[in-house]
Amino acid sequence: MRVEIWSDIACPWCYVGKARFEKALAAFPHRDQVEVVHRSFELDPGRAKGDTQPVITMLTKKYGMSEAQAQAGEENLGAQAAAEGLDYRTRGRDHGNTFDLHRLLHFAKEQGRQDELIQVFYRANFAEERSLFTEGDERLVELAVEAGLLAADVRKILADPEAYADDVRADEREAAELGANGVPFFVLDRKYGVSGAQPPEAFAQALTQAWGERSPLKLVGGGDEAEACGPDGCAVPQR
């Protein structure tokens, strides 16, 4: 079974939602047969690369709230994250363009390191003092190497603005087609969708339902009556 997760590194509920989903998955009896794929979704696609601002400032401008309200929201998110065992800096974080992060995540998927990279990016954005957005490409290279990728490969991708760009845009078009207008958004076997950072119990229920309703393979054209090879060898026609 495949679970696809549309998310953005700048999204705090994606950070929390991933942890909650993983709690449910860890307790799922068929967890070893579940493939998890991370898909791209930009919360602020119009923001230029290099255009950064404090999270509190971004929240006040985008949602028309006061600084006190924005800070209270961050404190609440910090408490929610802590309940899932996550570190979360409620002050001093900044906000920026995430397109390059998504490009690197597509490359990491090809290398079998996607989950490692997204977790490193989340930690860097939400838990560390150093900015994910203001230190340039070398900060991304450093983090990607920590996730198991080669520095030279990462630098080559970052130097080419079109590398994996189509993959990011394709994910975002698909999110729109699926009706996802916010993240995190979880799609199970292309049959069920779960929106938001739901409690682990909700994810557990969705996993169980999706697993139980998988369609068995229907054989056509004679099925197991024709010659075939199997664990015990190959059937040899007798003359």
Side-chain angles (χ1 to χ4, degrees), residues 105-154:
L105 285 167
H106 276 279
F107 169 67
K109 180 178 181 295
E110 290 185 350
Q111 304 300 308
R113 310 296 295 179
Q114 189 184 47
D115 192 70
E116 290 84 353
L117 185 60
I118 198 170
Q119 195 60 37
V120 167
F121 281 163
Y122 276 142
R123 188 203 68 217
N125 187 44
F126 292 108
E128 295 185 355
E129 290 189 16
R130 292 177 63 189
S131 172
L132 186 61
F133 302 106
T134 62
E135 296 188 26
D137 288 351
E138 281 306 302
R139 172 66 167 148
L140 303 187
V141 172
E142 173 190 323
L143 293 169
V145 168
E146 183 179 340
L149 301 175
L150 295 177
D153 291 339
V154 175

mmCIF file of all heavy atoms in Angstrom, residues 105-154:
data_model
loop_
_atom_site.group_PDB
_atom_site.id
_atom_site.type_symbol
_atom_site.label_atom_id
_atom_site.label_comp_id
_atom_site.label_asym_id
_atom_site.label_seq_id
_atom_site.Cartn_x
_atom_site.Cartn_y
_atom_site.Cartn_z
ATOM 1 N N LEU A 105 14.217 17.284 -2.503
ATOM 2 C CA LEU A 105 13.464 16.127 -2.004
ATOM 3 C C LEU A 105 13.135 15.150 -3.128
ATOM 4 O O LEU A 105 13.103 13.932 -2.917
ATOM 5 C CB LEU A 105 12.188 16.591 -1.298
ATOM 6 C CG LEU A 105 12.412 17.188 0.097
ATOM 7 C CD1 LEU A 105 11.155 17.904 0.586
ATOM 8 C CD2 LEU A 105 12.821 16.104 1.077
ATOM 9 N N HIS A 106 12.902 15.659 -4.325
ATOM 10 C CA HIS A 106 12.668 14.760 -5.458
ATOM 11 C C HIS A 106 13.949 14.005 -5.819
ATOM 12 O O HIS A 106 13.896 12.802 -6.128
ATOM 13 C CB HIS A 106 12.136 15.542 -6.661
ATOM 14 C CG HIS A 106 10.664 15.765 -6.614
ATOM 15 N ND1 HIS A 106 9.755 14.800 -7.001
ATOM 16 C CD2 HIS A 106 9.924 16.826 -6.198
ATOM 17 C CE1 HIS A 106 8.523 15.264 -6.833
ATOM 18 N NE2 HIS A 106 8.602 16.488 -6.341
ATOM 19 N N PHE A 107 15.066 14.691 -5.768
ATOM 20 C CA PHE A 107 16.336 14.004 -6.001
ATOM 21 C C PHE A 107 16.582 12.948 -4.920
ATOM 22 O O PHE A 107 16.996 11.823 -5.218
ATOM 23 C CB PHE A 107 17.482 15.019 -6.020
ATOM 24 C CG PHE A 107 18.842 14.386 -5.993
ATOM 25 C CD1 PHE A 107 19.297 13.635 -7.063
ATOM 26 C CD2 PHE A 107 19.673 14.533 -4.891
ATOM 27 C CE1 PHE A 107 20.559 13.038 -7.044
ATOM 28 C CE2 PHE A 107 20.928 13.943 -4.856
ATOM 29 C CZ PHE A 107 21.370 13.191 -5.933
ATOM 30 N N ALA A 108 16.307 13.308 -3.679
ATOM 31 C CA ALA A 108 16.512 12.370 -2.575
ATOM 32 C C ALA A 108 15.638 11.133 -2.722
ATOM 33 O O ALA A 108 16.049 10.030 -2.344
ATOM 34 C CB ALA A 108 16.217 13.066 -1.242
ATOM 35 N N LYS A 109 14.444 11.297 -3.283
ATOM 36 C CA LYS A 109 13.576 10.138 -3.518
ATOM 37 C C LYS A 109 14.258 9.158 -4.466
ATOM 38 O O LYS A 109 14.224 7.939 -4.248
ATOM 39 C CB LYS A 109 12.233 10.581 -4.084
ATOM 40 C CG LYS A 109 11.254 9.431 -4.354
ATOM 41 C CD LYS A 109 9.922 9.962 -4.862
ATOM 42 C CE LYS A 109 8.940 8.825 -5.099
ATOM 43 N NZ LYS A 109 9.391 7.920 -6.186
ATOM 44 N N GLU A 110 14.881 9.660 -5.511
ATOM 45 C CA GLU A 110 15.592 8.787 -6.447
ATOM 46 C C GLU A 110 16.734 8.032 -5.757
ATOM 47 O O GLU A 110 17.067 6.914 -6.145
ATOM 48 C CB GLU A 110 16.161 9.602 -7.595
ATOM 49 C CG GLU A 110 15.117 10.153 -8.551
ATOM 50 C CD GLU A 110 15.739 10.859 -9.732
ATOM 51 O OE1 GLU A 110 16.962 11.085 -9.713
ATOM 52 O OE2 GLU A 110 14.993 11.200 -10.670
ATOM 53 N N GLN A 111 17.307 8.661 -4.743
ATOM 54 C CA GLN A 111 18.440 8.066 -4.033
ATOM 55 C C GLN A 111 18.008 7.219 -2.837
ATOM 56 O O GLN A 111 18.860 6.696 -2.104
ATOM 57 C CB GLN A 111 19.391 9.171 -3.547
ATOM 58 C CG GLN A 111 19.895 10.086 -4.643
ATOM 59 C CD GLN A 111 20.671 9.350 -5.715
ATOM 60 O OE1 GLN A 111 21.592 8.605 -5.416
ATOM 61 N NE2 GLN A 111 20.307 9.555 -6.971
ATOM 62 N N GLY A 112 16.696 7.102 -2.616
ATOM 63 C CA GLY A 112 16.213 6.345 -1.474
ATOM 64 C C GLY A 112 16.446 7.027 -0.140
ATOM 65 O O GLY A 112 16.489 6.368 0.907
ATOM 66 N N ARG A 113 16.560 8.385 -0.155
ATOM 67 C CA ARG A 113 16.860 9.124 1.077
ATOM 68 C C ARG A 113 15.841 10.232 1.325
ATOM 69 O O ARG A 113 16.107 11.179 2.065
ATOM 70 C CB ARG A 113 18.270 9.751 1.010
ATOM 71 C CG ARG A 113 19.379 8.819 0.602
ATOM 72 C CD ARG A 113 19.582 7.702 1.597
ATOM 73 N NE ARG A 113 20.041 8.173 2.895
ATOM 74 C CZ ARG A 113 20.266 7.385 3.942
ATOM 75 N NH1 ARG A 113 20.037 6.074 3.833
ATOM 76 N NH2 ARG A 113 20.688 7.868 5.087
ATOM 77 N N GLN A 114 14.658 10.104 0.762
ATOM 78 C CA GLN A 114 13.695 11.201 0.852
ATOM 79 C C GLN A 114 13.224 11.448 2.278
ATOM 80 O O GLN A 114 13.167 12.590 2.744
ATOM 81 C CB GLN A 114 12.496 10.933 -0.062
ATOM 82 C CG GLN A 114 11.572 12.137 -0.183
ATOM 83 C CD GLN A 114 10.336 11.851 -1.004
ATOM 84 O OE1 GLN A 114 9.674 10.831 -0.814
ATOM 85 N NE2 GLN A 114 10.000 12.737 -1.934
ATOM 86 N N ASP A 115 12.877 10.388 2.991
ATOM 87 C CA ASP A 115 12.380 10.593 4.350
ATOM 88 C C ASP A 115 13.467 11.163 5.247
ATOM 89 O O ASP A 115 13.193 12.023 6.099
ATOM 90 C CB ASP A 115 11.858 9.278 4.935
ATOM 91 C CG ASP A 115 11.066 9.511 6.208
ATOM 92 O OD1 ASP A 115 9.960 10.073 6.121
ATOM 93 O OD2 ASP A 115 11.565 9.161 7.306
ATOM 94 N N GLU A 116 14.710 10.720 5.044
ATOM 95 C CA GLU A 116 15.817 11.258 5.838
ATOM 96 C C GLU A 116 15.989 12.757 5.591
ATOM 97 O O GLU A 116 16.205 13.525 6.530
ATOM 98 C CB GLU A 116 17.118 10.530 5.492
ATOM 99 C CG GLU A 116 17.179 9.096 5.979
ATOM 100 C CD GLU A 116 16.510 8.099 5.056
ATOM 101 O OE1 GLU A 116 15.871 8.532 4.066
ATOM 102 O OE2 GLU A 116 16.609 6.885 5.318
ATOM 103 N N LEU A 117 15.875 13.168 4.318
ATOM 104 C CA LEU A 117 16.090 14.579 4.000
ATOM 105 C C LEU A 117 14.956 15.455 4.515
ATOM 106 O O LEU A 117 15.207 16.536 5.056
ATOM 107 C CB LEU A 117 16.254 14.769 2.490
ATOM 108 C CG LEU A 117 16.594 16.199 2.062
ATOM 109 C CD1 LEU A 117 17.894 16.667 2.687
ATOM 110 C CD2 LEU A 117 16.661 16.311 0.540
ATOM 111 N N ILE A 118 13.715 14.997 4.365
ATOM 112 C CA ILE A 118 12.619 15.837 4.831
ATOM 113 C C ILE A 118 12.667 16.005 6.346
ATOM 114 O O ILE A 118 12.380 17.077 6.879
ATOM 115 C CB ILE A 118 11.244 15.304 4.365
ATOM 116 C CG1 ILE A 118 10.193 16.405 4.467
ATOM 117 C CG2 ILE A 118 10.803 14.068 5.155
ATOM 118 C CD1 ILE A 118 8.874 16.055 3.801
ATOM 119 N N GLN A 119 13.112 14.967 7.055
ATOM 120 C CA GLN A 119 13.214 15.083 8.496
ATOM 121 C C GLN A 119 14.321 16.060 8.893
ATOM 122 O O GLN A 119 14.170 16.848 9.836
ATOM 123 C CB GLN A 119 13.477 13.701 9.123
ATOM 124 C CG GLN A 119 13.250 13.650 10.619
ATOM 125 C CD GLN A 119 11.812 14.003 11.001
ATOM 126 O OE1 GLN A 119 10.865 13.656 10.307
ATOM 127 N NE2 GLN A 119 11.665 14.710 12.108
ATOM 128 N N VAL A 120 15.442 16.033 8.167
ATOM 129 C CA VAL A 120 16.531 16.979 8.424
ATOM 130 C C VAL A 120 16.069 18.405 8.146
ATOM 131 O O VAL A 120 16.360 19.330 8.921
ATOM 132 C CB VAL A 120 17.760 16.617 7.563
ATOM 133 C CG1 VAL A 120 18.779 17.751 7.573
ATOM 134 C CG2 VAL A 120 18.410 15.343 8.073
ATOM 135 N N PHE A 121 15.344 18.607 7.053
ATOM 136 C CA PHE A 121 14.835 19.939 6.725
ATOM 137 C C PHE A 121 13.860 20.434 7.803
ATOM 138 O O PHE A 121 13.905 21.600 8.215
ATOM 139 C CB PHE A 121 14.141 19.932 5.370
ATOM 140 C CG PHE A 121 15.075 19.977 4.189
ATOM 141 C CD1 PHE A 121 14.619 19.619 2.924
ATOM 142 C CD2 PHE A 121 16.393 20.373 4.323
ATOM 143 C CE1 PHE A 121 15.466 19.663 1.827
ATOM 144 C CE2 PHE A 121 17.246 20.414 3.230
ATOM 145 C CZ PHE A 121 16.781 20.064 1.976
ATOM 146 N N TYR A 122 12.948 19.561 8.241
ATOM 147 C CA TYR A 122 12.002 19.963 9.288
ATOM 148 C C TYR A 122 12.742 20.381 10.554
ATOM 149 O O TYR A 122 12.432 21.405 11.168
ATOM 150 C CB TYR A 122 11.057 18.806 9.616
ATOM 151 C CG TYR A 122 9.855 18.677 8.709
ATOM 152 C CD1 TYR A 122 9.382 17.420 8.328
ATOM 153 C CD2 TYR A 122 9.161 19.791 8.266
ATOM 154 C CE1 TYR A 122 8.274 17.285 7.513
ATOM 155 C CE2 TYR A 122 8.050 19.663 7.441
ATOM 156 C CZ TYR A 122 7.607 18.411 7.074
ATOM 157 O OH TYR A 122 6.511 18.285 6.265
ATOM 158 N N ARG A 123 13.700 19.569 10.956
ATOM 159 C CA ARG A 123 14.441 19.888 12.173
ATOM 160 C C ARG A 123 15.169 21.224 12.036
ATOM 161 O O ARG A 123 15.154 22.049 12.948
ATOM 162 C CB ARG A 123 15.464 18.778 12.462
ATOM 163 C CG ARG A 123 16.156 18.899 13.811
ATOM 164 C CD ARG A 123 17.475 18.161 13.810
ATOM 165 N NE ARG A 123 18.446 18.807 12.933
ATOM 166 C CZ ARG A 123 19.322 18.157 12.177
ATOM 167 N NH1 ARG A 123 19.345 16.835 12.149
ATOM 168 N NH2 ARG A 123 20.184 18.837 11.430
ATOM 169 N N ALA A 124 15.800 21.435 10.873
ATOM 170 C CA ALA A 124 16.533 22.671 10.658
ATOM 171 C C ALA A 124 15.604 23.887 10.704
ATOM 172 O O ALA A 124 15.969 24.946 11.233
ATOM 173 C CB ALA A 124 17.268 22.618 9.322
ATOM 174 N N ASN A 125 14.411 23.733 10.143
ATOM 175 C CA ASN A 125 13.485 24.871 10.077
ATOM 176 C C ASN A 125 12.805 25.161 11.401
ATOM 177 O O ASN A 125 12.615 26.326 11.765
ATOM 178 C CB ASN A 125 12.425 24.620 9.002
ATOM 179 C CG ASN A 125 11.548 25.836 8.762
ATOM 180 O OD1 ASN A 125 12.046 26.949 8.676
ATOM 181 N ND2 ASN A 125 10.255 25.620 8.661
ATOM 182 N N PHE A 126 12.428 24.117 12.120
ATOM 183 C CA PHE A 126 11.607 24.330 13.312
ATOM 184 C C PHE A 126 12.357 24.227 14.635
ATOM 185 O O PHE A 126 11.869 24.750 15.638
ATOM 186 C CB PHE A 126 10.441 23.333 13.322
ATOM 187 C CG PHE A 126 9.441 23.578 12.236
ATOM 188 C CD1 PHE A 126 9.347 22.730 11.146
ATOM 189 C CD2 PHE A 126 8.604 24.685 12.283
ATOM 190 C CE1 PHE A 126 8.438 22.969 10.135
ATOM 191 C CE2 PHE A 126 7.687 24.940 11.270
ATOM 192 C CZ PHE A 126 7.605 24.076 10.192
ATOM 193 N N ALA A 127 13.507 23.582 14.646
ATOM 194 C CA ALA A 127 14.157 23.323 15.931
ATOM 195 C C ALA A 127 15.524 23.968 16.101
ATOM 196 O O ALA A 127 15.987 24.122 17.241
ATOM 197 C CB ALA A 127 14.287 21.810 16.146
ATOM 198 N N GLU A 128 16.185 24.360 15.022
ATOM 199 C CA GLU A 128 17.550 24.869 15.131
ATOM 200 C C GLU A 128 17.596 26.386 15.050
ATOM 201 O O GLU A 128 16.756 27.020 14.419
ATOM 202 C CB GLU A 128 18.418 24.257 14.032
ATOM 203 C CG GLU A 128 18.587 22.753 14.167
ATOM 204 C CD GLU A 128 19.543 22.182 13.139
ATOM 205 O OE1 GLU A 128 20.005 22.940 12.251
ATOM 206 O OE2 GLU A 128 19.833 20.979 13.217
ATOM 207 N N GLU A 129 18.626 26.969 15.671
ATOM 208 C CA GLU A 129 18.787 28.420 15.661
ATOM 209 C C GLU A 129 19.226 28.930 14.291
ATOM 210 O O GLU A 129 18.819 30.007 13.865
ATOM 211 C CB GLU A 129 19.801 28.838 16.727
ATOM 212 C CG GLU A 129 19.293 28.667 18.166
ATOM 213 C CD GLU A 129 20.236 29.280 19.169
ATOM 214 O OE1 GLU A 129 21.096 30.091 18.758
ATOM 215 O OE2 GLU A 129 20.123 28.955 20.358
ATOM 216 N N ARG A 130 20.056 28.174 13.600
ATOM 217 C CA ARG A 130 20.511 28.603 12.281
ATOM 218 C C ARG A 130 19.349 28.583 11.293
ATOM 219 O O ARG A 130 18.516 27.681 11.314
ATOM 220 C CB ARG A 130 21.617 27.686 11.782
ATOM 221 C CG ARG A 130 22.919 27.794 12.551
ATOM 222 C CD ARG A 130 23.921 26.799 12.025
ATOM 223 N NE ARG A 130 24.271 27.051 10.633
ATOM 224 C CZ ARG A 130 24.988 26.220 9.888
ATOM 225 N NH1 ARG A 130 25.402 25.069 10.391
ATOM 226 N NH2 ARG A 130 25.265 26.524 8.627
ATOM 227 N N SER A 131 19.321 29.592 10.441
ATOM 228 C CA SER A 131 18.226 29.709 9.480
ATOM 229 C C SER A 131 18.373 28.717 8.336
ATOM 230 O O SER A 131 19.486 28.413 7.883
ATOM 231 C CB SER A 131 18.185 31.125 8.905
ATOM 232 O OG SER A 131 17.249 31.214 7.850
ATOM 233 N N LEU A 132 17.255 28.224 7.875
ATOM 234 C CA LEU A 132 17.223 27.366 6.694
ATOM 235 C C LEU A 132 17.233 28.191 5.414
ATOM 236 O O LEU A 132 17.506 27.665 4.335
ATOM 237 C CB LEU A 132 15.963 26.488 6.739
ATOM 238 C CG LEU A 132 15.774 25.405 5.678
ATOM 239 C CD1 LEU A 132 16.903 24.384 5.739
ATOM 240 C CD2 LEU A 132 14.436 24.716 5.851
ATOM 241 N N PHE A 133 16.978 29.498 5.524
ATOM 242 C CA PHE A 133 16.738 30.313 4.339
ATOM 243 C C PHE A 133 17.761 31.412 4.080
ATOM 244 O O PHE A 133 17.830 31.918 2.964
ATOM 245 C CB PHE A 133 15.349 30.962 4.436
ATOM 246 C CG PHE A 133 14.230 29.973 4.577
ATOM 247 C CD1 PHE A 133 13.585 29.804 5.795
ATOM 248 C CD2 PHE A 133 13.830 29.204 3.506
ATOM 249 C CE1 PHE A 133 12.551 28.890 5.931
ATOM 250 C CE2 PHE A 133 12.803 28.288 3.624
ATOM 251 C CZ PHE A 133 12.156 28.131 4.844
ATOM 252 N N THR A 134 18.533 31.814 5.064
ATOM 253 C CA THR A 134 19.380 33.001 4.892
ATOM 254 C C THR A 134 20.854 32.702 4.669
ATOM 255 O O THR A 134 21.623 33.622 4.407
ATOM 256 C CB THR A 134 19.252 33.926 6.116
ATOM 257 O OG1 THR A 134 19.718 33.225 7.285
ATOM 258 C CG2 THR A 134 17.819 34.373 6.323
ATOM 259 N N GLU A 135 21.259 31.440 4.747
ATOM 260 C CA GLU A 135 22.683 31.121 4.639
ATOM 261 C C GLU A 135 23.093 30.626 3.261
ATOM 262 O O GLU A 135 24.229 30.190 3.066
ATOM 263 C CB GLU A 135 23.073 30.093 5.700
ATOM 264 C CG GLU A 135 22.912 30.601 7.123
ATOM 265 C CD GLU A 135 23.480 29.636 8.139
ATOM 266 O OE1 GLU A 135 24.393 28.861 7.791
ATOM 267 O OE2 GLU A 135 23.023 29.668 9.294
ATOM 268 N N GLY A 136 22.180 30.662 2.295
ATOM 269 C CA GLY A 136 22.525 30.286 0.935
ATOM 270 C C GLY A 136 22.524 28.784 0.699
ATOM 271 O O GLY A 136 22.167 27.980 1.553
ATOM 272 N N ASP A 137 22.977 28.416 -0.511
ATOM 273 C CA ASP A 137 22.917 27.021 -0.931
ATOM 274 C C ASP A 137 23.782 26.094 -0.084
ATOM 275 O O ASP A 137 23.458 24.915 0.083
ATOM 276 C CB ASP A 137 23.333 26.900 -2.395
ATOM 277 C CG ASP A 137 22.280 27.441 -3.358
ATOM 278 O OD1 ASP A 137 21.162 27.751 -2.893
ATOM 279 O OD2 ASP A 137 22.581 27.558 -4.564
ATOM 280 N N GLU A 138 24.887 26.610 0.444
ATOM 281 C CA GLU A 138 25.776 25.737 1.201
ATOM 282 C C GLU A 138 25.114 25.194 2.464
ATOM 283 O O GLU A 138 25.457 24.111 2.934
ATOM 284 C CB GLU A 138 27.082 26.453 1.533
ATOM 285 C CG GLU A 138 28.050 26.508 0.371
ATOM 286 C CD GLU A 138 28.354 25.127 -0.231
ATOM 287 O OE1 GLU A 138 28.825 24.247 0.512
ATOM 288 O OE2 GLU A 138 28.106 24.934 -1.439
ATOM 289 N N ARG A 139 24.171 25.927 3.010
ATOM 290 C CA ARG A 139 23.417 25.409 4.162
ATOM 291 C C ARG A 139 22.599 24.192 3.725
ATOM 292 O O ARG A 139 22.539 23.185 4.444
ATOM 293 C CB ARG A 139 22.504 26.501 4.704
ATOM 294 C CG ARG A 139 21.522 26.066 5.791
ATOM 295 C CD ARG A 139 22.224 25.647 7.048
ATOM 296 N NE ARG A 139 21.286 25.529 8.159
ATOM 297 C CZ ARG A 139 21.432 24.654 9.145
ATOM 298 N NH1 ARG A 139 22.460 23.831 9.163
ATOM 299 N NH2 ARG A 139 20.546 24.621 10.129
ATOM 300 N N LEU A 140 21.997 24.263 2.548
ATOM 301 C CA LEU A 140 21.224 23.130 2.038
ATOM 302 C C LEU A 140 22.132 21.951 1.714
ATOM 303 O O LEU A 140 21.766 20.794 1.945
ATOM 304 C CB LEU A 140 20.424 23.544 0.802
ATOM 305 C CG LEU A 140 19.458 24.716 0.978
ATOM 306 C CD1 LEU A 140 18.617 24.893 -0.285
ATOM 307 C CD2 LEU A 140 18.571 24.522 2.184
ATOM 308 N N VAL A 141 23.308 22.233 1.188
ATOM 309 C CA VAL A 141 24.260 21.161 0.901
ATOM 310 C C VAL A 141 24.653 20.451 2.192
ATOM 311 O O VAL A 141 24.677 19.212 2.257
ATOM 312 C CB VAL A 141 25.520 21.737 0.203
ATOM 313 C CG1 VAL A 141 26.594 20.650 0.074
ATOM 314 C CG2 VAL A 141 25.170 22.306 -1.164
ATOM 315 N N GLU A 142 24.949 21.225 3.216
ATOM 316 C CA GLU A 142 25.327 20.657 4.511
ATOM 317 C C GLU A 142 24.238 19.729 5.052
ATOM 318 O O GLU A 142 24.518 18.619 5.526
ATOM 319 C CB GLU A 142 25.583 21.801 5.494
ATOM 320 C CG GLU A 142 25.832 21.386 6.922
ATOM 321 C CD GLU A 142 25.842 22.580 7.867
ATOM 322 O OE1 GLU A 142 26.354 23.654 7.466
ATOM 323 O OE2 GLU A 142 25.347 22.448 9.005
ATOM 324 N N LEU A 143 23.000 20.170 4.973
ATOM 325 C CA LEU A 143 21.894 19.369 5.490
ATOM 326 C C LEU A 143 21.666 18.124 4.631
ATOM 327 O O LEU A 143 21.372 17.043 5.149
ATOM 328 C CB LEU A 143 20.623 20.216 5.539
ATOM 329 C CG LEU A 143 20.652 21.367 6.556
ATOM 330 C CD1 LEU A 143 19.460 22.304 6.331
ATOM 331 C CD2 LEU A 143 20.640 20.838 7.988
ATOM 332 N N ALA A 144 21.787 18.274 3.314
ATOM 333 C CA ALA A 144 21.590 17.134 2.422
ATOM 334 C C ALA A 144 22.653 16.063 2.656
ATOM 335 O O ALA A 144 22.351 14.863 2.619
ATOM 336 C CB ALA A 144 21.606 17.607 0.971
ATOM 337 N N VAL A 145 23.878 16.477 2.899
ATOM 338 C CA VAL A 145 24.941 15.522 3.193
ATOM 339 C C VAL A 145 24.633 14.781 4.489
ATOM 340 O O VAL A 145 24.846 13.570 4.601
ATOM 341 C CB VAL A 145 26.301 16.250 3.280
ATOM 342 C CG1 VAL A 145 27.374 15.338 3.878
ATOM 343 C CG2 VAL A 145 26.733 16.736 1.906
ATOM 344 N N GLU A 146 24.094 15.497 5.467
ATOM 345 C CA GLU A 146 23.698 14.859 6.722
ATOM 346 C C GLU A 146 22.644 13.775 6.474
ATOM 347 O O GLU A 146 22.613 12.752 7.180
ATOM 348 C CB GLU A 146 23.148 15.910 7.687
ATOM 349 C CG GLU A 146 22.776 15.362 9.047
ATOM 350 C CD GLU A 146 22.251 16.426 9.994
ATOM 351 O OE1 GLU A 146 22.515 17.626 9.753
ATOM 352 O OE2 GLU A 146 21.575 16.063 10.973
ATOM 353 N N ALA A 147 21.805 13.982 5.459
ATOM 354 C CA ALA A 147 20.758 13.006 5.132
ATOM 355 C C ALA A 147 21.269 11.875 4.246
ATOM 356 O O ALA A 147 20.492 10.991 3.883
ATOM 357 C CB ALA A 147 19.589 13.707 4.452
ATOM 358 N N GLY A 148 22.561 11.903 3.899
ATOM 359 C CA GLY A 148 23.133 10.797 3.140
ATOM 360 C C GLY A 148 23.341 11.049 1.665
ATOM 361 O O GLY A 148 23.653 10.119 0.917
ATOM 362 N N LEU A 149 23.189 12.297 1.211
ATOM 363 C CA LEU A 149 23.391 12.622 -0.197
ATOM 364 C C LEU A 149 24.810 13.152 -0.423
ATOM 365 O O LEU A 149 25.467 13.612 0.517
ATOM 366 C CB LEU A 149 22.366 13.668 -0.640
ATOM 367 C CG LEU A 149 20.896 13.254 -0.484
ATOM 368 C CD1 LEU A 149 19.976 14.414 -0.850
ATOM 369 C CD2 LEU A 149 20.580 12.037 -1.339
ATOM 370 N N LEU A 150 25.261 13.107 -1.664
ATOM 371 C CA LEU A 150 26.595 13.579 -1.994
ATOM 372 C C LEU A 150 26.581 15.081 -2.265
ATOM 373 O O LEU A 150 25.726 15.584 -3.008
ATOM 374 C CB LEU A 150 27.127 12.844 -3.227
ATOM 375 C CG LEU A 150 27.351 11.338 -3.061
ATOM 376 C CD1 LEU A 150 27.817 10.731 -4.378
ATOM 377 C CD2 LEU A 150 28.359 11.059 -1.957
ATOM 378 N N ALA A 151 27.539 15.793 -1.679
ATOM 379 C CA ALA A 151 27.592 17.247 -1.803
ATOM 380 C C ALA A 151 27.671 17.687 -3.261
ATOM 381 O O ALA A 151 27.000 18.650 -3.667
ATOM 382 C CB ALA A 151 28.779 17.794 -1.011
ATOM 383 N N ALA A 152 28.486 17.011 -4.063
ATOM 384 C CA ALA A 152 28.637 17.407 -5.468
ATOM 385 C C ALA A 152 27.324 17.293 -6.225
ATOM 386 O O ALA A 152 27.002 18.163 -7.057
ATOM 387 C CB ALA A 152 29.716 16.544 -6.130
ATOM 388 N N ASP A 153 26.563 16.244 -5.951
ATOM 389 C CA ASP A 153 25.264 16.074 -6.614
ATOM 390 C C ASP A 153 24.309 17.193 -6.220
ATOM 391 O O ASP A 153 23.579 17.727 -7.064
ATOM 392 C CB ASP A 153 24.658 14.723 -6.236
ATOM 393 C CG ASP A 153 25.413 13.542 -6.827
ATOM 394 O OD1 ASP A 153 26.137 13.748 -7.821
ATOM 395 O OD2 ASP A 153 25.280 12.433 -6.288
ATOM 396 N N VAL A 154 24.301 17.520 -4.954
ATOM 397 C CA VAL A 154 23.388 18.542 -4.455
ATOM 398 C C VAL A 154 23.747 19.908 -5.040
ATOM 399 O O VAL A 154 22.869 20.663 -5.478
ATOM 400 C CB VAL A 154 23.412 18.582 -2.917
ATOM 401 C CG1 VAL A 154 22.549 19.723 -2.389
ATOM 402 C CG2 VAL A 154 22.941 17.242 -2.351
#
